[in-house]
Amino acid sequence: MKQHLNSLPLTLSLLGIACVLHFIGSEYYFFGAAPTGFSIGTLGLIIAMMGVLLSGYLALKEE
């Protein structure tokens, strides 16, 4: 079996996790306030989900 590791989904997921952990340390909002604002934590969740979806797409494409 061919072992193939695409580093882009892994990089996106780790970047998203880093953004979420950074938000826990210092709450930074791009716009808005605490309950409904767009924060670096929200951006981290979006980036991490992009990594997960890209990983799933590449796994389906490989089959």
Side-chain angles (χ1 to χ4, degrees):
M1 226 188 237
K2 180 177 141 183
Q3 294 291 332
H4 179 70
L5 176 67
N6 194 344
S7 61
L8 182 61
L10 181 63
T11 304
L12 285 176
S13 297
L14 290 176
L15 179 64
I17 291 170
C19 287
V20 170
L21 291 176
H22 181 269
F23 177 72
I24 291 172
S26 63
E27 296 183 1
Y28 178 75
Y29 290 90
F30 293 114
F31 57 86
T36 59
F38 185 77
S39 67
I40 196 162
T42 307
L43 182 65
L45 289 175
I46 292 170
I47 292 172
M49 284 303 300
M50 284 175 33
V52 168
L53 292 174
L54 182 61
S55 176
Y57 170 74
L58 292 175
L60 285 175
K61 185 178 171 186
E62 192 173 278
E63 288 181 1

